[in-house]
Short mmCIF file of all heavy atoms in Angstrom, two decimals:
data_model
loop_
_atom_site.label_atom_id
_atom_site.label_comp_id
_atom_site.label_asym_id
_atom_site.label_seq_id
_atom_site.Cartn_x
_atom_site.Cartn_y
_atom_site.Cartn_z
N PHE A 509 0.83 -1.17 0.01
CA PHE A 509 -0.02 -0.03 -0.04
C PHE A 509 0.84 1.24 0.02
O PHE A 509 2.05 1.19 0.54
CB PHE A 509 -0.92 0.04 1.29
CG PHE A 509 -1.98 -1.04 1.22
CD1 PHE A 509 -1.68 -2.31 1.80
CD2 PHE A 509 -3.21 -0.76 0.67
CE1 PHE A 509 -2.67 -3.26 1.77
CE2 PHE A 509 -4.27 -1.75 0.63
CZ PHE A 509 -3.97 -2.99 1.27
N TRP A 510 0.38 2.35 -0.54
CA TRP A 510 1.03 3.66 -0.39
C TRP A 510 0.15 4.57 0.19
O TRP A 510 -1.14 4.56 0.15
CB TRP A 510 1.57 4.08 -1.77
CG TRP A 510 0.55 4.20 -2.91
CD1 TRP A 510 0.17 3.15 -3.77
CD2 TRP A 510 -0.15 5.37 -3.37
NE1 TRP A 510 -0.64 3.68 -4.66
CE2 TRP A 510 -1.02 4.98 -4.41
CE3 TRP A 510 -0.16 6.74 -2.83
CZ2 TRP A 510 -1.74 5.94 -5.13
CZ3 TRP A 510 -1.00 7.65 -3.46
CH2 TRP A 510 -1.80 7.27 -4.56
N SER A 511 0.71 5.58 0.89
CA SER A 511 0.06 6.50 1.71
C SER A 511 -0.26 7.79 1.01
O SER A 511 0.36 8.18 -0.12
CB SER A 511 0.84 6.81 3.01
OG SER A 511 2.07 7.38 2.65
N THR A 512 -1.16 8.58 1.55
CA THR A 512 -1.50 10.00 1.06
C THR A 512 -0.78 10.98 2.09
O THR A 512 -1.09 10.86 3.20
CB THR A 512 -2.93 10.21 0.94
OG1 THR A 512 -3.54 9.31 0.01
CG2 THR A 512 -3.28 11.64 0.49
N ARG A 513 -0.02 11.88 1.53
CA ARG A 513 0.76 12.79 2.38
C ARG A 513 -0.01 13.54 3.43
O ARG A 513 0.28 13.66 4.58
CB ARG A 513 1.61 13.73 1.62
CG ARG A 513 2.47 14.71 2.35
CD ARG A 513 3.16 15.70 1.47
NE ARG A 513 2.23 16.73 0.94
CZ ARG A 513 1.88 17.83 1.64
NH1 ARG A 513 2.46 18.11 2.83
NH2 ARG A 513 1.08 18.74 1.06
N THR A 514 -1.30 13.88 3.05
CA THR A 514 -2.06 14.80 3.90
C THR A 514 -3.09 14.08 4.71
O THR A 514 -3.86 14.73 5.54
CB THR A 514 -2.85 15.87 3.06
OG1 THR A 514 -3.70 15.16 2.08
CG2 THR A 514 -1.92 16.75 2.25
N GLU A 515 -3.19 12.74 4.71
CA GLU A 515 -4.20 11.91 5.38
C GLU A 515 -3.54 10.69 6.02
O GLU A 515 -3.26 9.79 5.29
CB GLU A 515 -5.33 11.61 4.50
CG GLU A 515 -6.08 12.69 3.89
CD GLU A 515 -7.19 12.30 2.88
OE1 GLU A 515 -7.32 11.05 2.69
OE2 GLU A 515 -7.77 13.08 2.37
N TRP A 516 -3.22 10.72 7.27
CA TRP A 516 -2.51 9.52 7.88
C TRP A 516 -3.37 8.32 7.80
O TRP A 516 -2.76 7.15 7.87
CB TRP A 516 -2.18 9.86 9.39
CG TRP A 516 -3.44 10.10 10.24
CD1 TRP A 516 -3.79 11.32 10.68
CD2 TRP A 516 -4.26 9.20 10.77
NE1 TRP A 516 -4.98 11.19 11.47
CE2 TRP A 516 -5.23 9.84 11.62
CE3 TRP A 516 -4.38 7.83 10.74
CZ2 TRP A 516 -6.37 9.21 12.26
CZ3 TRP A 516 -5.42 7.08 11.53
CH2 TRP A 516 -6.34 7.85 12.27
N TRP A 517 -4.66 8.33 7.56
CA TRP A 517 -5.51 7.19 7.63
C TRP A 517 -5.74 6.57 6.29
O TRP A 517 -6.31 5.43 6.16
CB TRP A 517 -6.94 7.63 8.13
CG TRP A 517 -7.54 8.71 7.32
CD1 TRP A 517 -8.26 8.59 6.19
CD2 TRP A 517 -7.40 10.13 7.64
NE1 TRP A 517 -8.65 9.90 5.66
CE2 TRP A 517 -8.19 10.83 6.53
CE3 TRP A 517 -6.87 10.84 8.63
CZ2 TRP A 517 -8.21 12.18 6.57
CZ3 TRP A 517 -6.97 12.22 8.55
CH2 TRP A 517 -7.65 12.88 7.57
N HIS A 518 -5.29 7.21 5.19
CA HIS A 518 -5.73 6.76 3.73
C HIS A 518 -4.60 5.93 3.17
O HIS A 518 -3.44 6.46 3.13
CB HIS A 518 -6.07 7.93 2.94
CG HIS A 518 -6.53 7.58 1.59
ND1 HIS A 518 -7.82 7.39 1.19
CD2 HIS A 518 -5.83 7.20 0.28
CE1 HIS A 518 -7.90 7.08 0.01
NE2 HIS A 518 -6.75 6.93 -0.56
N TYR A 519 -4.97 4.76 2.64
CA TYR A 519 -3.97 3.87 1.93
C TYR A 519 -4.54 3.26 0.68
O TYR A 519 -5.67 2.83 0.71
CB TYR A 519 -3.54 2.78 2.93
CG TYR A 519 -2.54 3.35 4.02
CD1 TYR A 519 -3.15 3.83 5.15
CD2 TYR A 519 -1.22 3.35 3.75
CE1 TYR A 519 -2.19 4.32 6.14
CE2 TYR A 519 -0.39 3.91 4.64
CZ TYR A 519 -0.88 4.40 5.87
OH TYR A 519 -0.03 4.91 6.75
N ASN A 520 -3.76 3.29 -0.36
CA ASN A 520 -4.13 2.76 -1.63
C ASN A 520 -3.20 1.60 -2.05
O ASN A 520 -2.04 1.64 -1.78
CB ASN A 520 -3.92 3.85 -2.81
CG ASN A 520 -4.78 5.09 -2.63
OD1 ASN A 520 -6.01 4.97 -2.34
ND2 ASN A 520 -4.19 6.21 -2.82
N LEU A 521 -3.83 0.56 -2.48
CA LEU A 521 -3.19 -0.69 -2.93
C LEU A 521 -2.37 -0.24 -4.21
O LEU A 521 -2.89 0.34 -5.23
CB LEU A 521 -4.04 -1.74 -3.17
CG LEU A 521 -3.41 -3.11 -3.57
CD1 LEU A 521 -2.45 -3.61 -2.41
CD2 LEU A 521 -4.45 -4.11 -4.01
N GLN A 522 -1.09 -0.58 -4.39
CA GLN A 522 -0.26 -0.29 -5.41
C GLN A 522 -1.05 -0.79 -6.71
O GLN A 522 -1.36 -1.94 -6.78
CB GLN A 522 1.00 -0.93 -5.29
CG GLN A 522 2.12 -0.60 -6.32
CD GLN A 522 3.49 -1.03 -6.06
OE1 GLN A 522 3.71 -1.66 -5.05
NE2 GLN A 522 4.45 -0.76 -6.94
N GLY A 523 -1.09 -0.02 -7.77
CA GLY A 523 -1.64 -0.32 -9.07
C GLY A 523 -3.18 -0.32 -9.09
O GLY A 523 -3.76 -0.42 -10.17
N ALA A 524 -3.83 -0.04 -7.96
CA ALA A 524 -5.28 -0.03 -7.97
C ALA A 524 -5.87 1.19 -8.83
O ALA A 524 -7.08 1.00 -9.21
CB ALA A 524 -5.80 -0.01 -6.47
N HIS A 525 -5.07 2.15 -9.02
CA HIS A 525 -5.55 3.26 -9.80
C HIS A 525 -5.86 2.92 -11.30
O HIS A 525 -6.62 3.59 -11.94
CB HIS A 525 -4.53 4.45 -9.80
CG HIS A 525 -3.27 4.04 -10.46
ND1 HIS A 525 -2.33 3.24 -9.88
CD2 HIS A 525 -2.71 4.41 -11.75
CE1 HIS A 525 -1.31 3.10 -10.77
NE2 HIS A 525 -1.53 3.86 -11.83
N LYS A 526 -5.32 1.81 -11.66
CA LYS A 526 -5.50 1.40 -13.08
C LYS A 526 -6.94 0.56 -13.22
O LYS A 526 -7.41 0.24 -14.28
CB LYS A 526 -4.40 0.36 -13.49
CG LYS A 526 -3.02 1.01 -13.52
CD LYS A 526 -2.00 0.03 -13.84
CE LYS A 526 -0.54 0.61 -13.80
NZ LYS A 526 0.54 -0.39 -14.08
N ASP A 527 -7.51 0.16 -12.13
CA ASP A 527 -8.79 -0.59 -12.13
C ASP A 527 -9.92 0.34 -12.48
O ASP A 527 -9.89 1.57 -12.23
CB ASP A 527 -9.05 -1.26 -10.78
CG ASP A 527 -7.98 -2.32 -10.50
OD1 ASP A 527 -7.55 -3.02 -11.44
OD2 ASP A 527 -7.69 -2.52 -9.22
N PRO A 528 -11.01 -0.17 -13.07
CA PRO A 528 -12.17 0.65 -13.46
C PRO A 528 -12.94 1.08 -12.28
O PRO A 528 -13.02 0.38 -11.27
CB PRO A 528 -12.87 -0.30 -14.32
CG PRO A 528 -12.63 -1.70 -13.85
CD PRO A 528 -11.13 -1.60 -13.46
N ILE A 529 -13.60 2.15 -12.39
CA ILE A 529 -14.61 2.62 -11.42
C ILE A 529 -15.75 1.59 -11.41
O ILE A 529 -16.11 1.18 -12.40
CB ILE A 529 -15.09 4.02 -11.75
CG1 ILE A 529 -13.96 5.08 -11.74
CG2 ILE A 529 -16.19 4.49 -10.84
CD1 ILE A 529 -14.29 6.46 -12.22
N ALA A 530 -16.13 1.34 -10.14
CA ALA A 530 -17.25 0.33 -9.92
C ALA A 530 -18.40 1.04 -9.27
O ALA A 530 -18.36 1.96 -8.53
CB ALA A 530 -16.72 -0.85 -9.20
N ASN A 531 -19.59 0.39 -9.45
CA ASN A 531 -20.76 0.90 -8.78
C ASN A 531 -21.50 -0.39 -8.14
O ASN A 531 -22.72 -0.35 -7.96
CB ASN A 531 -21.67 1.61 -9.66
CG ASN A 531 -22.72 2.52 -8.80
OD1 ASN A 531 -22.34 2.94 -7.90
ND2 ASN A 531 -23.99 2.60 -9.38
N PHE A 532 -20.71 -1.39 -7.87
CA PHE A 532 -21.29 -2.58 -7.15
C PHE A 532 -21.86 -2.06 -5.83
O PHE A 532 -21.27 -1.28 -5.03
CB PHE A 532 -20.17 -3.58 -6.96
CG PHE A 532 -20.55 -4.55 -5.85
CD1 PHE A 532 -21.39 -5.58 -6.05
CD2 PHE A 532 -19.97 -4.47 -4.52
CE1 PHE A 532 -21.74 -6.49 -5.15
CE2 PHE A 532 -20.29 -5.44 -3.52
CZ PHE A 532 -21.15 -6.43 -3.91
N LYS A 533 -23.08 -2.59 -5.49
CA LYS A 533 -23.76 -2.28 -4.22
C LYS A 533 -24.08 -3.53 -3.48
O LYS A 533 -24.64 -4.50 -4.09
CB LYS A 533 -25.06 -1.44 -4.56
CG LYS A 533 -24.93 -0.16 -5.27
CD LYS A 533 -26.16 0.51 -5.64
CE LYS A 533 -25.93 1.80 -6.48
NZ LYS A 533 -27.23 2.50 -6.83
N TRP A 534 -23.86 -3.41 -2.28
CA TRP A 534 -24.05 -4.70 -1.38
C TRP A 534 -25.43 -4.58 -0.81
O TRP A 534 -26.05 -3.55 -0.66
CB TRP A 534 -23.03 -4.75 -0.30
CG TRP A 534 -22.92 -3.49 0.53
CD1 TRP A 534 -23.74 -3.17 1.58
CD2 TRP A 534 -21.92 -2.41 0.44
NE1 TRP A 534 -23.31 -1.99 2.13
CE2 TRP A 534 -22.24 -1.40 1.45
CE3 TRP A 534 -20.91 -2.17 -0.42
CZ2 TRP A 534 -21.60 -0.32 1.53
CZ3 TRP A 534 -20.24 -1.00 -0.32
CH2 TRP A 534 -20.43 -0.07 0.73
#
């Protein structure tokens, strides 16, 4: 995971930005 400089709580999985936007609803 990689962090966001301005938000200590936020983490993105490496490469996830390449995935499509989804609207799956549970």
Side-chain angles (χ1 to χ4, degrees):
F509 291 88
W510 55 273
S511 60
T512 298
R513 184 181 71 87
T514 59
E515 301 175 358
W516 61 259
W517 56 85
H518 183 93
Y519 286 89
N520 297 317
L521 184 66
Q522 186 173 0
H525 65 285
K526 299 177 183 178
D527 294 326
I529 294 172
N531 198 35
F532 160 77
K533 299 176 183 177
W534 55 82

